[in-house]
Amino acid sequence: MNSSTAPNRLEKGVISSSQLGLLFFLSILTTGILTAPSPIYSVAYRDIWISSLIGSLPAYGIILIVHALHRKYPGMTFIEYSTKVYGKVIGKIIGLLFLLFTLHTTGVVVRQFSEFMAVGFFPRTPLIVLAAVIIFTSACAVRGGVEIIGRFPQLFTPIVLVLLMFIIVPLIPDFNVKELLPVMENGPLPPIKGALILQQWFLLYSVTSFYLPYVADGKRSLRWSLYSLTALVIVMLIGHVCTVMVLGEVTAQYNFSFMNLSRYIQIAGFFEHLQSIVMAIWVFSLFVRLSTTYYILALGTAQWLNLSDYRMLVMPIGILIVVFSLWSLPSIASYSSAIAPNTFYYIIMLGGVPLLTWLVSSIRHGIGTKN
């Protein structure tokens, strides 16, 4: 039995369960392939593929937890049902902390995008200009609502997968399987450390709680979320393994190690240095990633403030994201060194908070049932 009725919704649009799955598949995929190999290889070494496998296991649990909470509080996002679970004051505090966390992490992603474009393609363009361009573009999608955001991954996912094949397939002759051996040379601890770092990507599925109220075929959302995560693990695993088999120990030295794979490509002596393909992959996917969390910020803030419309907040929040993108990192050189210390920060917010919410909700529901 549902423990609460749905509140008045700020969002009138709907998406399908398959769109939800593709949205989070593409949102996580590119940053997981482009930026994750370096910090993971730094701790897991040749066992990076093991980290990719075991690192996905907590995400399966989070998907189940988020859907369990959705069944208890249908039609509500995390911001809305947190006050039902914890009480108004504590629920508001937890909701605010989660919004600030999302603002910070979205700023980090914008900074990654800006640095990547500046280093590889626009070295003379100020970072703030690059950040403002991608934020303005994402703002247009966010103002369009969840239906607009849901359509982009349907369009971009096939394009991104084809472009990934253009990078990976020509490199097959350069693969060196010995770079993956011996397996667990230093014991099980290094791949476990790598798996912990990967929670910064996989646990992003916890924020599906902001989209589940707007899924038209909600009975299929759990199945599609699990399909999405499984496909993500497979593609990320392929990307990580290919990167290591080509670059070897050098993987740990590049912030965007997958980008460097394009420099090894030579097809028929004509197609060389296909960095533009990597840029296209990055732009398509980052647009979806930013739109996903940007929408969460706008919608969640409006719900936290009990406003009647979230669209009035889109541009002010966009400005804040740009500011946080400049504050989030001293420089891109410090990004890899900052990932490991931030691991538990991500685990607590993306894993611990949903788990605690489910536990408190279950206890309160059990007590209420007995009474």
Side-chain angles (χ1 to χ4, degrees):
M1 183 174 66
N2 296 331
S3 60
S4 180
T5 58
N8 292 328
R9 304 200 306 181
L10 298 180
E11 174 62 70
K12 305 303 181 184
V14 293
I15 58 174
S16 67
S17 55
S18 60
Q19 287 176 323
L20 176 70
L22 289 174
L23 181 64
F24 280 84
F25 169 80
L26 194 58
S27 294
I28 304 170
L29 175 64
T30 304
T31 56
I33 288 181
L34 280 176
T35 63
S38 175
I40 299 171
Y41 192 91
S42 298
V43 296
Y45 309 108
R46 296 178 175 86
D47 298 324
I48 187 173
W49 63 275
I50 300 177
S51 297
S52 301
L53 290 175
I54 62 178
S56 65
L57 298 180
Y60 284 101
I62 282 297
I63 288 175
L64 296 175
I65 287 172
V66 168
H67 278 78
L69 286 167
H70 174 63
R71 287 191 296 270
K72 288 185 178 182
Y73 305 97
M76 294 186 183
T77 68
F78 172 78
I79 297 297
E80 293 171 316
Y81 63 65
S82 60
T83 57
K84 303 289 184 182
V85 175
Y86 297 106
K88 187 172 182 179
V89 175
I90 297 177
K92 285 287 187 180
I93 293 173
I94 292 175
L96 178 61
L97 291 175
F98 196 88
L99 289 173
L100 291 173
F101 165 80
T102 305
L103 177 61
H104 170 242
T105 55
T106 304
V108 171
V109 173
V110 173
R111 180 60 176 270
Q112 290 175 332
F113 169 84
S114 304
E115 292 279 3
F116 177 83
M117 299 300 288
V119 170
F121 307 97
F122 304 104
R124 296 183 180 181
T125 304
L127 294 179
I128 191 171
V129 174
L130 295 170
V133 168
I134 190 65
I135 284 297
F136 176 78
T137 308
S138 299
C140 296
V142 173
R143 286 186 61 86
V146 71
E147 288 188 359
I148 298 298
I149 294 173
R151 288 172 186 162
F152 282 115
Q154 286 184 306
L155 173 65
F156 291 153
T157 299
I159 297 174
V160 168
L161 292 177
V162 169
L163 292 177
L164 282 173
M165 290 180 60
F166 268 103
I167 296 295
I168 292 174
V169 172
L171 289 172
I172 292 177
D174 297 312
F175 288 171
N176 183 5
V177 181
K178 292 181 180 179
E179 295 292 348
L180 301 174
L181 301 173
V183 177
M184 288 199 289
E185 180 182 14
N186 299 311
L189 189 58
I192 291 174
K193 289 180 178 179
L196 288 174
I197 292 176
L198 274 170
Q199 301 315 302
Q200 298 183 35
W201 286 270
F202 288 134
L203 289 183
L204 191 65
Y205 277 92
S206 66
V207 300
T208 54
S209 60
F210 288 86
Y211 287 88
L212 288 174
Y214 312 114
V215 176
D217 51 339
K219 293 183 179 180
R220 302 174 60 193
S221 62
L222 175 59
R223 184 189 315 167
W224 272 99
S225 294
L226 295 174
Y227 289 162
S228 170
L229 176 57
T230 301
L232 175 68
V233 173
I234 293 172
V235 179
M236 279 184 61
L237 179 64
I238 292 172
H240 293 174
V241 168
C242 292
T243 301
V244 173
M245 285 196 296
V246 173
L247 299 180
E249 295 180 357
V250 182
T251 301
Q253 300 177 17
Y254 295 113
N255 289 312
F256 306 104
S257 52
F258 191 83
M259 172 70 176
N260 289 274
L261 295 186
S262 62
R263 297 172 181 171
Y264 287 79
I265 296 175
Q266 181 175 353
I267 304 175
F270 181 73
F271 294 103
E272 297 181 349
H273 305 298
L274 304 181
Q275 291 96 328
S276 58
I277 292 181
V278 180
M279 182 186 74
I281 296 171
W282 183 252
V283 171
F284 287 143
S285 302
L286 255 293
F287 172 75
V288 174
R289 168 70 171 84
L290 290 175
S291 298
T292 301
T293 51
Y294 193 168
Y295 175 79
I296 289 171
L297 277 170
L299 179 69
T301 302
Q303 291 172 337
W304 193 85
L305 294 172
N306 295 318
L307 300 178
S308 59
D309 187 13
Y310 69 87
R311 288 171 177 84
M312 67 180 72
L313 299 175
V314 171
M315 292 312 297
I317 289 176
I319 294 172
L320 282 176
I321 293 173
V322 173
V323 171
F324 269 75
S325 73
L326 301 175
W327 288 351
S328 59
L329 294 170
S331 67
I332 196 61
S334 63
Y335 171 70
S336 295
S337 60
I339 285 184
N342 287 335
T343 294
F344 288 100
Y345 168 56
Y346 280 78
I347 290 175
I348 289 171
M349 296 304 298
L350 294 177
V353 171
L355 176 59
L356 179 62
T357 304
W358 175 74
L359 289 173
V360 173
S361 173
S362 299
I363 293 171
R364 294 189 66 173
H365 182 74
I367 293 174
T369 302
K370 290 180 181 179
N371 292 338

